[in-house]
Amino acid sequence: MERLIVHGGYIVNLLQIEIFVKVVDMGNFTRAREILAMTQSGINHNIASLESELGITLLNRGRNGISLTDSGERIIKHMRNILSEAESIKQETASILGIQNGKINIGSFSSFSSKVLPTILSRFRGEFKGIEINFYEGSYDQITRWVEDGKVDIGFTSLSNSLDHLETIPILRDRLVLTLPIHHHLAINGQVKVEDLQGEAFIMPKLGCEVSVMKFLKEQEVSPNVQFNVEDNQTIIAMVREGLGITIMPELALPYNLQGSIVKPLLPEPSREISIITRSKKQSLPAVKAFIKTTMDCMKDLQL
């Protein structure tokens, strides 16, 4: 049976909206076709019908892939809201009937994804086997934007500024530590004073945590000699091991094997705060609320 939304004279198939949003999220028709298990012609037909019913062009189609038109940019947030409301009705109905099902979209950054999120997902899956989880990994800014746009229901991120329009739930304080080659002259210290970093060859991490690192160094009036700005954590550790510089990294970002390098606490001790962000916990889907509770329980048990 077709699911229809009737509003202001428009008759829009909900499936068409789901297909359109999935194509936008995947960035191309091929990947969306694989996930939706549909033919290319089926996807094209549904999106063309959606554009025809609305009377506007939603997508630019070209050799380099697809992109949203100006109209599409304005419409997609509303379409995500429609899908969210439809999912909310589905989950509330399931809750009334005592059935555990639904869908959650989660955004996270790499170090949290690898060190903490698997434990949360495992516990949640053990209790809520019928809930589908979609996972997206990106930078702090991307995760915030995904929550704002409704692409994800929950984001795990570290915020440099407060976001009044989003609900923020702090869950973890992650220490920033000094990482240096084992033969570095500062390696003999039990704890390194931040002023000792003045002028030292330094590798600046990127993908968001550089905001916390640079803020800390600025507050302490310390200016290391930045040699490289690097995104990949494994690359940073390899460069430190080869003596190309020292770095300050979050503990969660450190690999389990630090062969050739050593970690030292700093004085004073900096940290970053990791939080859950969502548009509204109170108005969240039942599955989202359950996931937040599972996360909080895991944080207590892990004592991170």
Side-chain angles (χ1 to χ4, degrees), residues 23 32 35 57 61 66 68 94 103 108 114 156 172 183 197 204 210 214 217 222 229 251 264 273 279:
V23 168
I35 293 175
T57 301
R61 302 160 174 84
I66 62 155
L68 286 168
K103 179 172 63 177
S108 178
S114 62
F156 292 99
L172 171 63
H183 299 302
L197 306 186
M204 183 65 71
E210 77 274 12
M214 293 172 67
L217 293 173
V222 171
N229 292 273
E251 280 191 306
K264 294 287 183 178
E273 186 172 76
R279 285 190 287 182

Side-chain angles (χ1 to χ4, degrees), residues 157-176:
T157 188
S158 179
L159 300 173
S160 56
N161 299 304
S162 61
L163 300 173
D164 295 335
H165 59 296
L166 297 177
E167 186 161 352
T168 304
I169 307 170
I171 59 170
L172 171 63
R173 189 164 292 280
D174 186 22
R175 284 200 312 167
L176 302 179

Side-chain angles (χ1 to χ4, degrees), residues 267-279:
L267 184 68
E269 185 177 273
S271 64
R272 64 174 177 176
E273 186 172 76
I274 297 173
S275 301
I276 293 172
I277 56 173
T278 182
R279 285 190 287 182

Side-chain angles (χ1 to χ4, degrees), residues 228-270:
F228 305 97
N229 292 273
V230 184
E231 292 185 359
D232 184 74
N233 292 330
Q234 296 295 331
T235 302
I236 294 172
I237 295 299
M239 295 174 78
V240 169
R241 184 173 59 244
E242 293 300 320
L244 295 174
I246 62 177
T247 192
I248 297 175
M249 296 179 66
E251 280 191 306
L252 282 181
L254 295 173
Y256 290 109
N257 184 2
L258 272 174
Q259 186 177 4
S261 56
I262 191 170
V263 172
K264 294 287 183 178
L266 285 163
L267 184 68
E269 185 177 273

Side-chain angles (χ1 to χ4, degrees), residues 17-26 50 54 56 58-59 66-84 148-151 279:
I17 295 179
E18 292 176 337
I19 292 171
F20 171 70
V21 171
K22 184 62 69 176
V23 168
V24 172
D25 287 347
M26 293 299 101
L50 178 61
L54 294 176
I56 56 177
L58 299 169
L59 291 176
I66 62 155
S67 62
L68 286 168
T69 62
D70 290 342
S71 298
E73 289 280 4
R74 294 173 62 180
I75 289 293
I76 192 166
K77 289 184 179 181
H78 301 290
M79 290 186 170
R80 292 192 193 279
N81 288 336
I82 289 171
L83 294 179
S84 179
E148 291 171 334
D149 293 344
K151 181 176 180 178
R279 285 190 287 182

Side-chain angles (χ1 to χ4, degrees), residues 280-297:
S280 171
K281 182 181 177 182
K282 184 177 180 179
Q283 298 177 7
S284 291
L285 304 173
V288 172
K289 293 178 181 177
F291 192 88
I292 292 174
K293 183 180 183 304
T294 298
T295 299
M296 302 302 290
D297 291 342

